[in-house]
Amino acid sequence: MEHNLWYDEKTQIIHLQFTRDYLTSDVEAIRKVMNEMVAGKPYRQMVIQISKTAKVENRETREKSNQLLKDFDISHVAFIGGSAANRMIAKVMLKTGALKIQGDFFKTIDQGVEWIMSKR
């Protein structure tokens, strides 16, 4: 997997940083890493850095990503950066209930982490 995915023990938050376009094939690679990463963890919250993502491959990619978040019971997502198009798609998914999580957009990682931690 070319994207960066890690668990911050200090904040107890999962971090995902996209390093290029987000492809359907990336979803299963992320799932495999997260299976081990979240076992026994008390919080299911994420910071997703989308500032380097030029685009999401297609609708299937979005649908599989939504399912991934549901499968791992992710409760909150702080999106950092991103193109206007990616932010718009994510906002629509959040507002329409396609994603059953709380999410918001932030300019910095620190702002996103602070918001997530305030939700505990």
Side-chain angles (χ1 to χ4, degrees):
M1 176 176 63
E2 294 179 38
H3 305 296
N4 300 317
L5 179 62
W6 71 96
Y7 185 83
D8 183 332
E9 293 289 343
K10 181 180 175 186
T11 62
Q12 299 180 317
I13 296 173
I14 302 161
H15 287 259
L16 174 59
Q17 179 184 32
F18 293 114
T19 58
R20 57 163 170 72
D21 289 352
Y22 183 46
L23 308 176
T24 304
S25 59
D26 293 327
V27 179
E28 285 309 310
I30 290 169
R31 178 183 299 280
K32 287 178 184 177
V33 174
M34 283 184 65
N35 270 330
E36 297 174 15
M37 184 180 294
V38 301
K41 303 298 186 201
Y43 301 107
R44 300 294 176 99
Q45 299 167 310
M46 290 184 78
V47 168
I48 301 178
Q49 298 174 50
I50 56 176
S51 52
K52 292 186 181 178
T53 306
K55 65 178 181 175
V56 175
E57 184 175 26
N58 55 34
R59 183 177 183 169
E60 180 184 5
T61 308
R62 290 191 297 274
E63 290 172 353
K64 286 186 174 195
S65 296
N66 293 349
Q67 189 61 48
L68 176 80
L69 295 172
K70 289 176 190 177
D71 291 348
F72 283 104
D73 295 323
I74 302 299
S75 61
H76 299 87
V77 175
F79 296 98
I80 312 301
S83 69
N86 284 344
R87 286 193 309 271
M88 181 186 70
I89 290 168
K91 283 181 183 179
V92 167
M93 292 168 69
L94 290 168
K95 300 288 185 202
T96 62
L99 285 175
K100 304 289 187 204
I101 59 172
Q102 291 185 36
D104 210 341
F105 292 81
F106 302 91
K107 291 184 179 181
T108 69
I109 295 168
D110 289 341
Q111 290 172 337
V113 167
E114 183 179 323
W115 176 79
I116 284 176
M117 293 182 78
S118 75
K119 301 300 179 185
R120 295 181 179 168

